[in-house]
Amino acid sequence: MFMRVDRLITDLPPPKKQDPNAAAALQELLGGKYGEMSTLGNYMFQSFNFRSKDKLRPFYSLVASITAEELAHVELVANGVAMLNNGPEKPGQDEGDGGDISKSPFEAMQDIRLASAFLSNGGGATPVNSNGVSWSNDCVTTTGNVLFDLLHNFHLECGARIHKMRVYETLSDPTGREVCGYLLVRGSVHAHSYALAIKKLTGVEIEKMLPTPNIPLAKIPECQKYLDEGSHRRLYTWSETDYAEIAGIWSNDEVALPDDPPGPLEVVEGMPDGGKIHQLAGVPSAFTPDYAPEEFYEIAAKLYKKSL
Amino acid sequence: MFMRVDRLITDLPPPKKQDPNAAAALQELLGGKYGEMSTLGNYMFQSFNFRSKDKLRPFYSLVASITAEELAHVELVANGVAMLNNGPEKPGQDEGDGGDISKSPFEAMQDIRLASAFLSNGGGATPVNSNGVSWSNDCVTTTGNVLFDLLHNFHLECGARIHKMRVYETLSDPTGREVCGYLLVRGSVHAHSYALAIKKLTGVEIEKMLPTPNIPLAKIPECQKYLDEGSHRRLYTWSETDYAEIAGIWSNDEVALPDDPPGPLEVVEGMPDGGKIHQLAGVPSAFTPDYAPEEFYEIAAKLYKKSL
Amino acid sequence: MFMRVDRLITDLPPPKKQDPNAAAALQELLGGKYGEMSTLGNYMFQSFNFRSKDKLRPFYSLVASITAEELAHVELVANGVAMLNNGPEKPGQDEGDGGDISKSPFEAMQDIRLASAFLSNGGGATPVNSNGVSWSNDCVTTTGNVLFDLLHNFHLECGARIHKMRVYETLSDPTGREVCGYLLVRGSVHAHSYALAIKKLTGVEIEKMLPTPNIPLAKIPECQKYLDEGSHRRLYTWSETDYAEIAGIWSNDEVALPDDPPGPLEVVEGMPDGGKIHQLAGVPSAFTPDYAPEEFYEIAAKLYKKSL
Amino acid sequence: MFMRVDRLITDLPPPKKQDPNAAAALQELLGGKYGEMSTLGNYMFQSFNFRSKDKLRPFYSLVASITAEELAHVELVANGVAMLNNGPEKPGQDEGDGGDISKSPFEAMQDIRLASAFLSNGGGATPVNSNGVSWSNDCVTTTGNVLFDLLHNFHLECGARIHKMRVYETLSDPTGREVCGYLLVRGSVHAHSYALAIKKLTGVEIEKMLPTPNIPLAKIPECQKYLDEGSHRRLYTWSETDYAEIAGIWSNDEVALPDDPPGPLEVVEGMPDGGKIHQLAGVPSAFTPDYAPEEFYEIAAKLYKKSL
Amino acid sequence: MFMRVDRLITDLPPPKKQDPNAAAALQELLGGKYGEMSTLGNYMFQSFNFRSKDKLRPFYSLVASITAEELAHVELVANGVAMLNNGPEKPGQDEGDGGDISKSPFEAMQDIRLASAFLSNGGGATPVNSNGVSWSNDCVTTTGNVLFDLLHNFHLECGARIHKMRVYETLSDPTGREVCGYLLVRGSVHAHSYALAIKKLTGVEIEKMLPTPNIPLAKIPECQKYLDEGSHRRLYTWSETDYAEIAGIWSNDEVALPDDPPGPLEVVEGMPDGGKIHQLAGVPSAFTPDYAPEEFYEIAAKLYKKSL
Amino acid sequence: MFMRVDRLITDLPPPKKQDPNAAAALQELLGGKYGEMSTLGNYMFQSFNFRSKDKLRPFYSLVASITAEELAHVELVANGVAMLNNGPEKPGQDEGDGGDISKSPFEAMQDIRLASAFLSNGGGATPVNSNGVSWSNDCVTTTGNVLFDLLHNFHLECGARIHKMRVYETLSDPTGREVCGYLLVRGSVHAHSYALAIKKLTGVEIEKMLPTPNIPLAKIPECQKYLDEGSHRRLYTWSETDYAEIAGIWSNDEVALPDDPPGPLEVVEGMPDGGKIHQLAGVPSAFTPDYAPEEFYEIAAKLYKKSL
């Protein structure tokens, strides 16, 4: 089971401009073969299908706990997509009614790369890649063979790193860049952790392939504060009660990757503090949350009071 | 963000026999259009994309908190699928090596309906329907229009109820029946809660359509203990800190549906106690967790000790 | 635009037994690449996209009018599928309520080839092939080049003939065999008509390739009565007012194919008389039309009276 | 069965300019999850699969007759797409041969959003959404449960309304705007009719949720003439002989929705007069209807004369 | 089995500019329904599945040998796509490291039509069409009926010709135009050869439909040198030892199509000389072949020496 | 470019019985995510898209030459599928006409798992997995990053090994078992070669993970003769002129994996001798190669003579 906390895994700066094509690029990190739906889908189903859990507890706990972080990554990218599609929010933009919609107010939306993101989703994120193609079961590997699934996961995180790098290189807006910067640090942790798991099982020092591609995180300004905090040395249990056995793999005997700030690896019980989720103020002329939402706001306000 | 707890949302009895076609039927509740991947995918992306969250807090919290329960539902069905594919576990079944595999030990797997579930997934669950077709973005609706998305969700839960009923009617094994029985009760709660949300916004007493289809839960023996506990009157926040505003919608002013045991509706902070996750002991001859897993078990045992 | 008539294009005998795998085989003729959704989809979009309609009127009318017949073919196969899934109807089978559903009344549905047809569709037809894979846009060719589109259509009808033959060879039940027998005759007419259109445009006597495969219709007992009626020499306008220009292509100067009963080709204004649509009586225990439908029947009866 | 009439459901003004991206936006209303292929596919298969037709005649007739109108809606959107891709027609544009094609005459087509619409379809419409993704069986719901299928249809029409509104807001060209304006009025009728059907069965006044989203049709100038004619109060039988029982649901006891011009609801036997279908004059340099079509025109003219 | 030769089927001029949208247009010829993946997939599986090979040897050999040429066509289009995505190569562009990637070096890639081609594939080609949709099994026809499969192939080649023509008309860059020019000539040969095969079997002079569309190759300047060489009269065996029986079909008794330079048809043992494969020099800032590839180059150089 | 040789990569014994479900299981090795279409598709597109080929020649040649072997693997599995669907061939089975087809001669085909394989493909192989789902672009990874693509390929071969093992365990017929036995040996070579390539680039001894899963080839009787021949130590160039640089990676300095018969690794110029391709004699009643094929055989015989 999963509990929910109403916070984002890191703070995202607001977008400087509405930028649907930047949002569309970010979609590759959401619904692409090497996107966060894939890391989530792979680890979630692998953890559900995991064989002989007790006998392989540290490995099971590794996959199970990282699953929870991937949910937060899906949330992070989805928020980034929606924020870039929405643009900087103006006070009161979701008030009043949508006014006269007969003057083609969204003509510009015809020319955005993924028009369906506006027409169907009102700027929201969905599990599709940057070409609008759906994520699918073809992106899920769960064989039940513990070593192979770990190898798959190691490869998946390396592939995800390339994709995050390239998406980052297309973005000038701070919102999307922060998404990439954060994910690059955390994805490196996951690649590293799967490498250590493989090393424990086989003796192969596969972590020496890291980073792939061979660019240090320090080259990405958006990664710096996370490196300074030591995020790259930290694996969370994402639980108050379980999964602490990951400390058998991600242990103090092991240290940070050579290119990153040095220090021992640490397991942290629980989760990061995270940041604030943005409002995503609606646009009545786009029927979000409605064409004339005031009455709904009033109803919600009353219900809110009643709930206190 | 989501925290994880290593428990299943309810206790599942072990299967009486290996039954891959029963597992394949359950897949409809996992990856079908009206399955749990769809309830999860819809509410998860709707909550990420939700507009003007503060002004519509009780409605946002409703969708956001139910998302967390849907994760547990996906987990429940996935466990049921894997358990039915695995069959009753024998002591020591995952010990030793897989022995001589040259005598067609899995010839029977040629004839199961979803052969790929064995060949590719070693009996694990994946996001496909009962015909083996992948779940996709076509199963996700997130328009950003608050009333419409709630209406969609109400319809989705009613559709899910029909599917659960029919899958239940195909199953004789207790594992799968328990999955359906539990989900029928909880799905009814979700349908009811979306109906109340719509009623608050529009005044339309749409909850009077429930249950659809018009069969009372009491007709399903596996639902009885959950009704006795009052599960049908209970909505969880699935959070220690957030989403309590759902009490504005699922409030004590409202009562259980007429066909169900009477009483006021209740919001419960947190989550249900849940049950134990099964081991899913591996089958070395199927390479789960490996062909000769003993060495891996020893490594894991050492790492486990180290983690204490 | 299209008007609807509440009749089936030919009379179907009731099934002798419930036979979901026969229904699944018929699905190949509905949602397969060479099935009726494809003939419909190709001709419908070609007719919508047809260029320079007036200057090419006989060719436009050919594609446009056959489109209407394909709708009736989709309807015919869909009815056949639903009838075979439903089985022979018993008086009163849709009365009363569904009773005790807790005894696995549909256990047999686990083992049918396309379980989703029961679980999701209650035995109804959908646009999927005999493996459960969705029909898609990949099955639609509409280039706007008049000669090529006609060539495509000629090939499509020949391919459809092979598929109908093979499905026919798998069926022992009269319902499905009648569907195939009828479609074989009418598909031959369409192949012939596209061949004549190509001949008019190019002089190539492509109709001499017919029939492909080279088995005469006379070998199929279910085709005999249609041949006796001269159905193989008849092209309908499927309109009261339009498309009579097809007589320029399917003209009395042309005669039946050599293997078929001889005679001149004829254009018939309008449509065939057709047959009766079956009731498809519901199964309350499968929630069709509902678990306890009596009240709905009463409401419907009152509304019906009111409508007179 | 379906008869065809060579007219469009309403008159479309010619486009002011060639606008492939506007056409691509319209595709969302054709092949998107909430587009006309979906309304057609859902109602068509529901009507084929309808259980206990006689006992539920008014409800069966409702779904069956609206199916026919959806065919006309698919035709309308497809015509709009093809017209916008083609642009304003010039006299003689489809005469002569295509001339020298070696000077990159269609270089601009590289940059249109859905390049395949030109490359593969010569500007024609196909069943894909605004991102080029195929419509599929995932967009079809047909459970055989009468109440649920009606609820699904009600939700589908509300969702379709949001999509039409948003597509409308992206369009400045009169062709596409007329498509949207017309469909908004007729879609409202369908939503209203499904709401009344549900009300008859359950007593729930679900029509009070209309319109969703909550913008009156009067705000759309293109809707005005249809409202003036009373189109919003009119349901067609789309048949000369059948489906008149819909008058039990769409009855004079019921009136127009509060935001629309007042008056009683009316059932009209048959279909609307409709408008003229455009020529879609070919472009020889794009090989529509051919590179050098004159000979084909002459052949067609002779065949036409022969057919009189 | 297939042997490989490290040459391209014809020489491609280098691109004049980086042109991702031109590359995206070329993708229609790679992964579209009428693209080279389809000709390859159809003939490859037809040749594997071919029935009674000895008794139908000339026909089997025709399909089998053309399969090999289609591999070279897939390679040609893929090279064209990658070259256009890469642009003109600068000396040393793949040396050094990728430098500072924090300044949005690939911002322009957000706006290219198929962003995933950069983000996921680093500019490489993949089996998708010009809208980014995957090639699939729906594009493969292999019925085992020899005449029908040949008819399908004839239609496929004619359709491919339309698509090549239209893609050609969108391209101004010499690389892509050469790809089209070459494929137009060779595709005509294949259409002609399937036509002759059908004629041998049925007597129908279907080759008289060629060329479809009815534009002579001579109108395409890029085709001229291939016509001059007589490529349009030449069918290769693509083998040193097999498939010479195609001379029974593509025989000296037959001559070039009327629009093309006259002369007898010839079978050539083996394959064309072909041209040079381009380097596709990497872009370290895009992580191709790596961010800092020098070390890899050195390793490769040593291994190369060792291999001599 | 690729030349073709009319031989199979190894000799397959004829099947002992017709076994469509065994054929369907083999399909997982053809069109599954870890099947031969995937190894082919990945290496083929990677070789087309390879960056800086000269500077990385041994690595380029490795991917390019293995591509050619994967074509032979696709051919091998496809032949196995078709042979198992066809069953043991009887003399004269493809002679005469198909006789009376009206007695449901293929009723058994209704119940085979992938009915479409008979209905659509006459028993032929297609690029779908064991559940009938199409292979797609989601199964292709080609990033252009040399190290990551090699890592992907290493993981792909390990995953393919699990799938081959499991398919093998379902098969009792010699045809399918031979396919698996051969592919297990050759897949091990490919996994080994990618491991060595990675080791050369990074120093990581990743080959020590082999075999994954950890069952020695010697446990598979069907592998024995290939091990005896030393096939596991042999990498082919699949070319008469190119790719010999793979000797830099697969060099005599390296030796066989510890579980396999010892000895140095060898590069062999060219390809293996291979075996005979089976006739796949047609079944006239299934319209393969035709309903009454004698006339076609006669025509073919004449054309064959003419070709000598």
Side-chain angles (χ1 to χ4, degrees), chain B residues 215-250:
Chain B
I215 176 174
L217 289 173
K219 292 258 188 181
I220 315 291
E222 284 79 3
C223 293
Q224 199 55 51
K225 69 170 169 291
Y226 302 113
L227 295 174
D228 292 347
E229 292 166 18
S231 180
H232 62 293
R233 293 184 291 108
R234 213 174 288 148
L235 200 59
Y236 299 91
T237 61
W238 292 94
S239 185
E240 292 180 353
T241 50
D242 301 299
Y243 311 127
E245 308 85 356
I246 57 176
I249 294 165
W250 187 267

Side-chain angles (χ1 to χ4, degrees), chain A residues 45-46 48-52 141-146 148-149, chain B residues 18 20 23 27 78 81-87 93 106 109 112 114-126 280-290, chain F residues 28 162-163 166-167 169:
Chain A
F45 282 101
Q46 285 177 20
F48 296 158
N49 297 333
F50 209 96
R51 299 288 159 158
S52 303
T141 289
T142 169
T143 69
N145 181 276
V146 64
F148 175 71
D149 285 356
Chain B
Q18 189 185 31
Q27 282 282 160
V81 167
M83 289 164 72
L84 283 163
N85 274 324
N86 214 26
Q93 83 172 42
F106 293 107
M109 293 297 108
I112 64 172
L114 299 183
S116 180
F118 169 72
L119 300 174
S120 190
N121 312 118
T126 50
L280 286 176
V283 179
S285 58
F287 313 105
T288 60
D290 209 353
Chain F
E28 190 74 16
I162 298 176
H163 286 74
R166 286 194 186 137
V167 170
E169 290 179 289

Side-chain angles (χ1 to χ4, degrees), chain B:
Chain B
M1 286 189 285
F2 295 81
M3 296 279 272
R4 191 163 188 177
V5 178
D6 202 44
R7 292 183 62 74
L8 210 53
I9 196 170
T10 194
D11 258 316
L12 289 184
K16 290 208 172 144
K17 60 168 183 174
Q18 189 185 31
D19 196 347
N21 283 5
L26 262 190
Q27 282 282 160
E28 190 73 17
L29 301 187
L30 186 52
K33 185 179 178 183
Y34 288 91
E36 302 297 336
M37 279 296 291
S38 287
T39 47
L40 171 60
N42 277 281
Y43 310 157
M44 181 167 77
F45 282 101
Q46 285 178 19
S47 69
F48 296 157
N49 297 333
F50 209 95
R51 300 288 161 156
S52 304
K53 297 180 185 72
D54 279 353
K55 292 179 179 166
L56 293 166
R57 179 63 47 175
F59 299 96
Y60 166 64
S61 291
L62 185 71
V63 175
S65 59
I66 294 179
T67 300
E69 180 159 345
E70 299 302 349
L71 278 165
H73 291 185
V74 170
E75 186 180 32
L76 184 72
V77 184
N79 271 265
V81 167
M83 289 164 72
L84 283 163
N85 274 324
N86 214 26
E89 300 189 0
K90 294 160 213 142
Q93 83 172 42
D94 60 354
E95 291 165 15
D97 71 25
D100 182 359
I101 68 162
S102 71
K103 304 287 188 267
S104 315
F106 293 107
E107 190 161 13
M109 293 297 108
Q110 266 180 32
D111 300 320
I112 64 172
R113 286 213 319 101
L114 299 183
S116 180
F118 169 72
L119 300 174
S120 190
N121 312 118
T126 50
V128 301
N129 75 1
S130 64
N131 288 350
V133 177
S134 177
W135 181 84
S136 84
N137 181 51
D138 277 340
C139 300
V140 174
T141 288
T142 167
T143 67
N145 182 276
V146 64
L147 180 56
F148 176 71
D149 284 356
L150 290 169
L151 172 64
H152 168 272
N153 298 351
F154 175 73
H155 125 271
L156 181 64
E157 292 286 352
C158 292
R161 192 175 193 267
I162 298 175
H163 287 71
K164 289 165 193 168
M165 287 284 179
R166 286 192 186 138
V167 170
Y168 173 77
E169 291 179 288
T170 71
L171 299 174
S172 57
D173 190 282
T175 308
R177 291 170 69 94
E178 190 72 24
V179 169
C180 295
Y182 184 78
L183 293 178
L184 280 164
V185 174
R186 297 306 304 164
S188 291
V189 168
H190 295 170
H192 193 180
S193 70
Y194 286 124
L196 294 179
I198 291 168
K199 185 169 72 169
K200 305 300 181 194
L201 287 176
T202 65
V204 175
E205 296 175 307
I206 199 170
E207 81 279 9
K208 292 195 174 161
M209 287 182 68
L210 300 176
T212 290
N214 61 347
I215 176 174
L217 289 173
K219 292 258 188 181
I220 315 291
E222 284 79 3
C223 293
Q224 199 55 51
K225 69 170 169 291
Y226 302 113
L227 295 174
D228 292 347
E229 292 166 18
S231 180
H232 62 293
R233 293 184 291 108
R234 213 174 288 148
L235 200 59
Y236 299 91
T237 61
W238 292 94
S239 185
E240 292 180 353
T241 50
D242 301 299
Y243 311 127
E245 308 85 356
I246 57 176
I249 294 165
W250 187 267
S251 65
N252 291 154
D253 302 352
E254 301 280 356
V255 296
L257 293 174
D259 282 334
D260 295 333
L265 304 186
E266 302 170 5
V267 168
V268 177
E269 286 211 2
M271 69 206 292
D273 290 340
K276 207 161 163 300
I277 294 177
H278 286 246
Q279 280 298 305
L280 286 176
V283 179
S285 58
F287 313 105
T288 60
D290 209 353
Y291 175 70
E294 302 295 336
E295 191 189 344
F296 287 0
Y297 294 158
E298 285 164 30
I299 292 166
K302 279 184 202 154
L303 296 173
Y304 176 73
K305 272 184 209 148
K306 200 175 133 190
S307 78
L308 295 180

Side-chain angles (χ1 to χ4, degrees), chain E residues 144-161:
Chain E
N145 182 277
V146 65
L147 180 55
F148 175 70
D149 284 356
L150 290 169
L151 172 63
H152 167 272
N153 298 351
F154 175 73
H155 126 271
L156 182 64
E157 293 286 353
C158 292
R161 193 175 194 265

